[in-house]
Amino acid sequence: MTNIFKLKLSALGHPNPESFDCEDEKAYRSVVLWLEDQKIRHYKIEEREGLRNIDSDTWKEAYNAYQKDLVSPSLEGTMNEQLNWLLCYAVRLEYADNVEKYKNAKVEQSKQSAPSVVSSNPLDNLDFSSPAFKSGVERVSTVAGIGPHLDPKIRLSALSKILKTSPHPDPPKTETNVVLQPADVLKLLFVQDLRNLQTKINEALVAVQNVTADPRTDTKLGKVGR
Amino acid sequence: MVVRSYNEELKYLEKINPYCWKIKMGFQPNMNVEGVFYVNNTLEKLMLDELRNSCRPGQTGGFLPGVKQIANVAALPGIVGRSVGLPDVHSGYGFAIGNMAAFDMSNPKSIVSPGGVGFDINCGVRLLRTNLSEKDVVPIKEQLAQSLFDHIPVGVGSKGIIPMNARDMEEALEMGMDWSLREGYVWAEDKEHCEEYGRMLNADPSKVSLRAKKRGLPQLGTLGAGNHYAEIQVVDEIYDKYAAGKMGLERVGQVCVMIHSGSRGFGHQVATDALVQMEKAMKRDHIDTNDRQLACARINSPEGQDYLKAMAAAANFAWVNRSSMTFLTRQAFAKQFKMAPDDLDMHVIYDVSHNIAKMEEHVVDGKVKTLLVHRKGSTRAFPPHHPLIPVDYQLTGQPVLIGGTMGTCSYVLTGTHQGMTETFGSTCHGAGRALSRAKSRRNIDYKDVLTKLESMGISIRVASPKLVMEEAPESYKNVTDVVNTCHAAGISKKTVKLRPIAVIKG
């Protein structure tokens, strides 16, 4: 979390974003005050008195009232979540004030140290929002007895938990083919992947053997027992 | 211990289906779980006769009958599920040979027992295939048998021909088959087709006594004596064409080589050393067992941990041992056929351990648990799609190699889901003794045994012919009965039957 705060603070031009520690109550309060004073400016100057008393016990109340006035969605969240929203809000305002200036900004391409990997695994390119995916998860979840949830990905992770902790539940008779056929296909694909991997392992072993191998026998040592 | 008549004993046994008997609580004192054993009608008779004999007054000494031993194991602390006797079960030191038992790792009282692993740690079977046919081999099988005999040192006191010093040995103990791979004795694909990929990662050579290392060093790359052998076999019958095809066994008459060996004197010494330590640990931790031979220690005690680390080193020793013999076998074939082993397609089909304890995940009462699974004279048989079996067998289930005895057939089975739930993914390991070694020596003449093998068209090379009658087929249960029981009970599935044409033995 601290890194995100630092990034946003320095984007907003905070004087010393590097030394900011969100766990430090006092630093936290002064950053909130700084945001209102410099960036958000929701209150008139004289109304900021409550936030300005950063040593006072009533600061917390003022802060809550301030968030309510801003209609912050993070009011119920943790202190860090609340601050994060404030920072995001400030960044949004900053952008809105200088659209022309920021419009042409480009994201700096991070240096490509590793070549970009194009995944050939179809599972990596699944479209989680497609109706086909959703209905598939729905069917599998019903078979495994997983309760409803809006996000199919959460149901899928619940399914993986069930499969890990207990032996696989038997599908009901009517659904046998729906479950078993794709499972068989997956098994065959897996066996093929495994064979390729094993072949590569064997090739590597043979390559090493070319360097290390020196099998010898010495029949003089041999002795047949009685 | 309670003395009961045979008929009273029978009240504790219940036949729950044509291939399975239940041993009820109370058969032996303090049982924590029930016992179970798998038999067909023939094996059932052997099993119950053994119990009846032990009930006769005045019977003392020797091992307890197998059923009693299964029940005593059910009384060990921390055991879960059931104490399982496989169809080839027979009396052994503490645990019966052919007994499988799993202990809950999360229970601090759970134990590990060297008796539940056996003295020949990681004794196991490896099967190599070739692209040769019976007709290619039969005309020269005498020479081939001799060549194998010349390449692979056999017998009590035999010494290996792969030069090794103490440092090589330390590395081999830690690295297992990776050592053989590094030194160039095996192929990369061999490792892929081996239980645990031929290396137990928790091996710690510093937990192994100097004495064990001294015994083991000259013996690396030797077959040993007893029931160990190397056999040239041909495919006799294919039951499951798909699974056999996955293993590269395409046609009847195809030639294979089976190597059955273990960790030699090394493993024996590791087990002996551990038993001494464990007796102390039992006194200290107040562990009570029904049988003194069931010496054990809590898994998390120093003694338990030391044993597991030393056992893993012995397991690695056995894999290096079988790998060295794989190398020698390939050399023998290459010389005989003047072709490279690659061109003979001499791939390892699989390598199983049938004397070992392993940490595995299983479902117990609907929950996934980490267990320490002891398999003594019992082979792991994981079902299709189990993550611990090689990719080539993901669809068929793990190959299970069942070595017969001299002159009898051997089998390849595959693991099943039913076996996973009923027996923690375990099945039989071989024929299993019917007569004790001493009894065999008294009742059978070695010359008869050799003549009989010859008449069956089997070439044989033995280092010590006078011990051959201990291993005569008559001394063993019928391996076909054993395998058929496993198949019928559903705990593994028959894939291929192999018939020997040449045997070399200690």
Side-chain angles (χ1 to χ4, degrees):
Chain A
M1 210 66 179
T2 320
N3 278 336
I4 299 175
F5 291 158
K6 281 178 185 163
L7 212 64
K8 285 175 181 157
L9 282 172
S10 63
L12 289 166
H14 189 270
N16 42 5
E18 280 310 311
S19 60
F20 174 64
D21 174 11
C22 58
E23 301 301 323
D24 179 348
E25 183 92 29
K26 201 164 169 189
Y28 185 100
R29 291 179 180 191
S30 45
V31 159
V32 171
L33 178 63
W34 180 83
L35 284 170
E36 170 58 15
D37 271 348
Q38 303 294 324
K39 302 292 165 188
I40 302 176
R41 294 189 292 266
H42 186 71
Y43 291 155
K44 289 182 193 132
I45 295 179
E46 55 274 21
E47 287 170 351
R48 297 178 195 160
E49 212 48 42
L51 291 176
R52 201 170 302 284
N53 291 330
I54 53 174
D55 293 323
S56 152
D57 292 339
T58 56
W59 187 88
K60 209 67 196 244
E61 286 166 33
Y63 183 42
N64 282 341
Y66 176 58
Q67 291 185 81
K68 258 183 215 152
D69 292 340
L70 288 177
V71 206
S72 162
S74 312
L75 197 53
E76 302 295 319
T78 64
M79 292 297 277
N80 281 346
E81 284 164 6
Q82 294 174 356
L83 180 60
N84 192 38
W85 184 83
L86 276 185
L87 284 162
C88 291
Y89 184 56
V91 169
R92 245 182 353 256
L93 293 174
E94 180 75 18
Y95 179 80
D97 286 349
N98 299 290
V99 178
E100 283 309 310
K101 182 177 159 196
Y102 294 121
K103 206 168 59 178
N104 297 322
K106 287 209 174 63
V107 180
E108 253 180 76
Q109 206 73 29
S110 59
K111 259 189 246 157
Q112 286 206 325
S113 52
S116 65
V117 181
V118 180
S119 169
S120 58
N121 184 348
L123 291 180
D124 289 344
N125 303 322
L126 270 186
D127 179 4
F128 295 118
S129 55
S130 73
F133 177 77
K134 283 181 186 158
S135 71
V137 170
E138 173 70 39
R139 277 217 308 262
V140 168
S141 301
T142 323
V143 171
I146 294 164
H149 191 280
L150 274 181
D151 187 349
K153 278 190 280 183
I154 290 186
R155 294 183 88 180
L156 202 58
S157 63
L159 180 67
S160 92
K161 243 183 198 161
I162 286 187
L163 294 183
K164 269 180 210 156
T165 48
S166 65
H168 299 193
D170 283 329
K173 278 266 158 29
T174 49
E175 291 273 4
T176 309
N177 279 338
V178 179
V179 178
L180 291 189
Q181 272 177 4
D184 286 344
V185 170
L186 282 178
K187 278 176 189 165
L188 288 174
L189 286 172
F190 172 70
V191 166
Q192 194 188 16
D193 278 356
L194 211 57
R195 182 62 258 173
N196 289 338
L197 175 66
Q198 184 68 59
T199 305
K200 280 184 195 139
I201 292 171
N202 289 354
E203 282 165 0
L205 288 175
V206 170
V208 175
Q209 264 191 322
N210 284 335
V211 182
T212 60
D214 180 21
R216 276 172 299 159
T217 52
D218 182 353
T219 38
K220 282 201 290 289
L221 294 171
K223 189 175 146 199
V224 170
R226 49 192 159 79
Chain B
M1 198 155 61
V2 232
V3 180
R4 284 188 291 248
S5 75
Y6 176 63
N7 283 331
E8 282 169 39
E9 295 280 29
L10 279 187
K11 286 184 193 144
Y12 289 92
L13 304 178
E14 184 195 341
K15 193 170 185 169
I16 51 178
N17 70 42
Y19 300 100
C20 189
W21 284 67
K22 185 161 84 175
I23 306 172
K24 293 185 213 166
M25 306 286 242
F27 183 61
Q28 287 292 82
N30 306 320
M31 285 170 71
N32 295 317
V33 295
E34 290 183 329
V36 71
F37 59 93
Y38 293 86
V39 283
N40 65 5
N41 286 335
T42 327
L43 300 169
E44 173 185 308
K45 199 175 158 293
L46 285 172
M47 198 77 179
L48 297 179
D49 279 352
E50 191 186 34
L51 179 64
R52 182 186 291 131
N53 285 338
S54 76
C55 289
R56 279 201 309 237
Q59 282 293 312
T60 47
F63 290 134
L64 289 169
V67 235
K68 287 278 175 189
Q69 289 193 321
I70 296 170
N72 280 340
V73 167
L76 289 173
I79 187 168
V80 293
R82 304 178 299 184
S83 171
V84 179
L86 285 317
D88 48 343
V89 75
H90 58 104
S91 308
Y93 184 89
F95 281 60
I97 296 159
N99 189 181
M100 168 275 131
F103 298 83
D104 184 357
M105 298 282 292
S106 63
N107 178 349
K109 297 208 158 151
S110 290
I111 54 95
V112 54
S113 171
V117 171
F119 282 90
D120 192 359
I121 296 167
N122 193 7
C123 181
V125 179
R126 174 177 289 203
L127 186 63
L128 309 178
R129 67 171 188 241
T130 72
N131 54 13
L132 299 164
S133 291
E134 191 174 3
K135 62 175 181 355
D136 303 324
V137 174
V138 165
I140 55 160
K141 80 181 168 171
E142 286 300 328
Q143 292 96 305
L144 200 56
Q146 187 61 40
S147 167
L148 267 184
F149 192 68
D150 292 340
H151 276 79
I152 303 178
V154 296
V156 180
S158 53
K159 286 183 179 174
I161 63 169
I162 288 177
M164 282 193 102
N165 57 33
R167 211 184 116 218
D168 295 327
M169 173 85 169
E170 292 283 324
E171 290 179 352
L173 292 180
E174 192 188 319
M175 296 171 69
M177 228 163 121
D178 284 342
W179 183 86
S180 308
L181 200 58
R182 187 185 76 188
E183 301 299 316
Y185 292 104
V186 291
W187 303 346
E189 294 84 354
D190 296 356
K191 177 179 163 68
E192 183 190 335
H193 286 170
C194 189
E195 236 178 271
E196 304 285 309
Y197 299 99
R199 175 180 189 170
M200 282 193 120
L201 293 169
N202 61 334
D204 184 351
S206 73
K207 302 293 181 195
V208 175
S209 70
L210 199 62
R211 184 139 182 232
K213 288 176 191 167
K214 273 194 177 152
R215 265 180 89 175
L217 181 57
Q219 294 180 340
L220 205 58
T222 65
L223 190 64
N227 58 350
H228 296 151
Y229 59 78
E231 267 183 3
I232 303 174
Q233 306 174 333
V234 294
V235 174
D236 196 48
E237 215 177 326
I238 297 176
Y239 306 102
D240 181 343
K241 210 166 173 336
Y242 176 73
K246 282 273 169 195
M247 300 173 198
L249 298 176
E250 308 278 359
R251 59 207 146 82
V252 169
Q254 190 174 343
V255 174
C256 297
V257 181
M258 184 176 272
I259 297 168
H260 178 198
S261 184
S263 50
R264 309 283 284 105
F266 183 86
H268 198 284
Q269 192 63 46
V270 166
T272 314
D273 293 342
L275 285 173
V276 178
Q277 295 303 314
M278 292 201 171
E279 266 184 44
K280 289 182 209 151
M282 285 175 81
K283 245 180 233 154
R284 184 194 59 210
D285 296 337
H286 310 290
I287 305 175
D288 276 325
T289 58
N290 289 344
D291 181 354
R292 253 197 86 214
Q293 290 184 351
L294 289 170
C296 57
R298 291 193 179 145
I299 297 173
N300 293 320
S301 68
E303 292 81 5
Q305 284 299 312
D306 284 356
Y307 172 68
L308 284 173
K309 287 170 187 166
M311 182 207 73
N316 287 346
F317 181 99
W319 278 312
V320 173
N321 196 27
R322 288 199 285 277
S323 295
S324 301
M325 285 184 281
T326 304
F327 174 76
L328 299 171
T329 305
R330 284 177 178 151
Q331 279 204 326
F333 269 70
K335 263 189 213 163
Q336 205 58 231
F337 290 95
K338 301 196 173 52
M339 274 169 92
D342 297 81
D343 297 328
L344 291 167
D345 193 37
M346 294 187 74
H347 279 282
V348 170
I349 290 178
Y350 205 58
D351 178 304
V352 298
S353 323
H354 51 227
N355 277 7
I356 201 143
K358 284 188 193 177
M359 275 166 250
E360 290 171 7
E361 291 201 339
H362 287 274
V363 176
V364 184
D365 302 329
K367 284 202 192 88
V368 178
K369 286 203 160 176
T370 308
L371 307 177
L372 185 66
V373 182
H374 290 62
R375 291 194 185 91
K376 181 190 198 179
S378 163
T379 316
R380 193 186 79 177
F382 278 168
H385 304 299
H386 194 283
L388 294 184
I389 64 178
V391 51
D392 293 343
Y393 304 127
Q394 280 287 313
L395 301 179
T396 62
Q398 178 208 313
V400 179
L401 310 174
I402 307 300
T405 50
M406 221 169 34
T408 69
C409 292
S410 294
Y411 287 87
V412 183
L413 315 178
T414 48
T416 62
H417 288 289
Q418 196 186 342
M420 200 62 186
T421 46
E422 276 188 32
T423 60
F424 297 99
S426 313
T427 191
C428 63
H429 87 299
R433 274 196 171 277
L435 298 182
S436 72
R437 288 177 190 276
K439 216 168 179 182
S440 314
R441 277 200 299 271
R442 281 198 303 273
N443 296 359
I444 309 166
D445 185 6
Y446 77 90
K447 283 183 198 130
D448 293 345
V449 177
L450 294 180
T451 336
K452 196 173 163 206
L453 287 174
E454 233 165 78
S455 70
M456 287 164 75
I458 302 171
S459 308
I460 177 156
R461 295 290 182 281
V462 216
S464 37
K466 292 193 177 158
L467 293 177
V468 151
M469 56 278 192
E470 287 183 3
E471 302 303 323
E474 291 84 347
S475 313
Y476 281 87
K477 294 176 181 169
N478 183 346
V479 66
T480 304
D481 270 332
V482 169
V483 164
N484 285 345
T485 307
C486 290
H487 181 84
I491 54 174
S492 44
K493 191 165 167 247
K494 285 206 284 187
T495 304
V496 168
K497 182 184 181 189
L498 301 158
R499 165 171 55 83
I501 56 172
V503 188
I504 71 163
K505 237 178 138 50

